[in-house]
Amino acid sequence: MTDTHDAAHSGRPAIGHSTVDGIRVVTLSGEIDHTVRDRLGRALLPPDDAARPRTVIDLSGVTFMDSSGINALINAHHATVDADGWLRLAGPRESVVRIMRLVGIDRLIPCYPDLRQALGN
């Protein structure tokens, strides 16, 4: 997994990966904007060899997200559903929740208050 601790405090975006009980967890932190659009898009797509991919995106460390981040989430959702899998969001801060509600992504992708709940449901 990528160390995201320092990045979250500096505002620099960071992307970490881990697996919990066979579920891929992508941990994002810092400010998610156009500067990380391509790297984020690649990180959120399910692996090519994944059958029925299950992914949780941990947003608890994200301090800001613009339309680039929203578009990456939507693209990841469509790619995961097309692969007969599922995508969940976990722990977004209120500033990110407001943006997600404004564009309606909270009705497209299930969102949970924290990582534990997203993994458990």
Side-chain angles (χ1 to χ4, degrees):
M1 179 166 158
T2 304
D3 180 14
T4 59
H5 181 73
D6 291 336
H9 294 291
S10 69
R12 291 188 322 253
I15 302 169
H17 300 271
S18 62
T19 303
V20 177
D21 296 330
I23 300 170
R24 185 170 72 114
V25 177
V26 179
T27 304
L28 306 180
S29 63
E31 297 181 359
I32 305 300
D33 60 19
H34 71 281
T35 63
V36 293
R37 178 185 62 226
D38 295 335
R39 188 168 59 117
L40 178 63
R42 287 188 303 273
L44 297 183
L45 292 177
D48 291 334
D49 60 347
R52 300 180 60 104
R54 300 176 301 159
T55 302
V56 173
I57 301 172
D58 183 356
L59 298 171
S60 61
V62 175
T63 57
F64 171 82
M65 182 181 294
D66 72 3
S67 61
S68 301
I70 296 295
N71 286 330
L73 294 176
I74 292 169
N75 290 338
H77 168 74
H78 289 300
T80 303
V81 169
D82 289 348
D84 204 24
W86 54 255
L87 178 72
R88 297 175 180 166
L89 305 176
R93 296 178 184 200
E94 187 56 38
S95 60
V96 175
V97 169
R98 266 183 274 142
I99 292 167
M100 291 182 353
R101 285 185 183 143
L102 181 67
V103 299
I105 199 170
D106 60 321
R107 293 185 305 268
L108 178 67
I109 305 171
C111 188
Y112 295 83
D114 58 45
L115 181 60
R116 182 186 55 78
Q117 290 181 36
L119 291 167
N121 288 323

